[in-house]
């Protein structure tokens, strides 16, 4: 039985074209007001954005042509026990930091074994950079973001800690380091029928263990994922 819920915390940034950083090459995020109360009797806007704009989740088909699309997953794939691995100190001095097996083992030394089928959420400190140039980086830092080492993800998969279902979560653009243009972590993760939770927010409110996370939002036919309201249920 799932633990009783004491509070619910949003782990999503507000979707706002003026503040939402875009992954290089992604389509623009645009809003157009198409109806107003004064003119039409109701208020309505038209949104144009990529499936992976802002806080979002990724389905296996995002990197695996044989993987499941968003509408082919089960609801249970989007509701997972969560652990938070705090690597802010390491990432503060190294924008290319790779979250390692040693980091995960150290987390387990303090908190116990990562539950099977967990969402393993890395708190790099990038959620505090949202809306400013430091999120994507400027100058020589452009495109440099921390992420998981492929060896760490392989260890999570081989040991059963990501279970039959499971996820990687992070407060950057994605689970890969920004300098890895081969997307080794994403290819490894999605090939194994797992999902990712990306551009997460408010990770200070997520406990190291004991919470559950839910990726909500629209489910697109044949979708590679989608913008999400990610919520943490905290006992």
């Amino acid at each position: 039985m799932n633990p009783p819920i004491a509070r619910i915390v949003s782990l999503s940034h507000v979707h706002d074209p003026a503040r939402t950083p875009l992954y290089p090459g992604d389509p623009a995020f645009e809003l157009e007001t198409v109806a107003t109360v004064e003119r039409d009797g109701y208020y309505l806007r038209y949104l144009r954005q990529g499936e992976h704009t802002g806080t979002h989740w990724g389905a296996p088909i995002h990197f695996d042509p044989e993987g499941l699309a968003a509408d082919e997953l089960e609801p249970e794939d989007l509701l997972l026990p969560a652990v938070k691995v705090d690597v802010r100190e390491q990432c503060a001095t190294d924008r290319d930091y790779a979250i390692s097996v040693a980091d995960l083992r150290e987390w387990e030394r303090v908190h116990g074994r990562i539950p099977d089928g967990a969402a393993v959420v890395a708190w790099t400190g990038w959620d505090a950079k949202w809306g400013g140039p430091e999120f994507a980086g400027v100058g020589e830092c452009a495109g440099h973001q921390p992420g998981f080492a492929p060896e760490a993800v392989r260890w999570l998969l081989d040991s059963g800690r990501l279970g039959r279902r499971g996820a990687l979560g992070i407060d950057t653009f994605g689970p890969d380091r920004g300098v890895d243009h081969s997307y080794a972590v994403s290819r490894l993760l999605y090939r194994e029928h797992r999902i990712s939770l990306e551009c997460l927010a408010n990770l200070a409110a997520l406990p190291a263990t004991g919470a559950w996370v839910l990726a909500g939002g629209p489910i697109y036919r044949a979708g590679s994922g989608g913008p999400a309201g990610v919520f943490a249920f905290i006992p």
Side-chain angles (χ1 to χ4, degrees):
M1 179 179 295
N2 296 350
I5 299 170
R7 62 192 178 108
I8 301 175
V9 173
S10 172
L11 301 183
S12 292
H13 294 284
V14 174
H15 286 242
D16 176 359
R19 289 181 53 82
T20 299
L22 294 177
Y23 187 78
D26 275 8
F29 180 14
E30 300 173 337
L31 283 175
E32 177 187 354
T33 300
V34 296
T36 65
V37 174
E38 295 77 13
R39 186 185 68 209
D40 306 287
Y42 60 93
Y43 173 52
L44 179 67
R45 296 186 297 175
Y46 175 38
L47 285 72
R48 291 180 289 272
Q49 63 184 123
E51 288 180 317
H52 293 254
T53 298
T55 301
H56 62 277
W57 67 280
I61 199 174
H62 186 36
F63 275 89
D64 179 6
E66 303 300 320
L68 297 180
D71 59 310
E72 296 173 320
L73 294 172
E74 300 295 330
E76 292 83 359
D77 291 312
L78 304 179
L79 177 63
L80 302 167
V83 303
K84 181 181 73 176
V85 182
D86 186 350
V87 288
R88 289 175 298 159
E89 183 176 352
Q90 298 94 312
C91 297
T93 56
D94 184 0
R95 290 184 66 104
D96 296 325
Y97 187 75
I99 300 153
S100 65
V101 175
D103 291 321
L104 301 176
R105 288 189 181 278
E106 175 60 19
W107 187 94
E108 290 194 332
R109 186 188 67 80
V110 176
H111 301 286
R113 192 182 189 278
I114 294 170
D116 290 351
V120 179
V121 177
W123 187 19
T124 71
W126 250 246
D127 53 348
K129 303 179 189 292
W130 189 259
E134 282 301 308
F135 188 86
V138 295
E140 294 182 355
C141 293
H144 290 259
Q145 293 193 334
F148 288 88
E151 297 78 15
V153 179
R154 184 77 268 169
W155 180 76
L156 288 169
L157 289 165
D158 289 346
S159 66
R161 285 164 171 81
L162 287 184
R164 223 182 114 253
R165 297 181 165 96
L168 295 180
I170 199 163
D171 50 1
T172 67
F173 278 132
D176 300 278
R177 294 192 304 148
V179 295
D180 182 8
H181 301 299
S182 73
Y183 304 106
V185 165
S186 290
R187 289 188 291 106
L188 179 60
L189 179 74
Y190 291 123
R191 189 171 63 237
E192 298 287 345
H193 182 81
R194 307 316 195 279
I195 68 169
S196 63
L197 308 173
E198 303 173 9
C199 294
L200 295 175
N202 304 322
L203 290 181
L206 184 69
T209 188
W212 286 66
V213 294
L214 171 67
I219 303 295
Y220 299 111
R221 182 78 62 194
S224 67
V230 180
F231 297 96
F233 303 123
I234 302 174

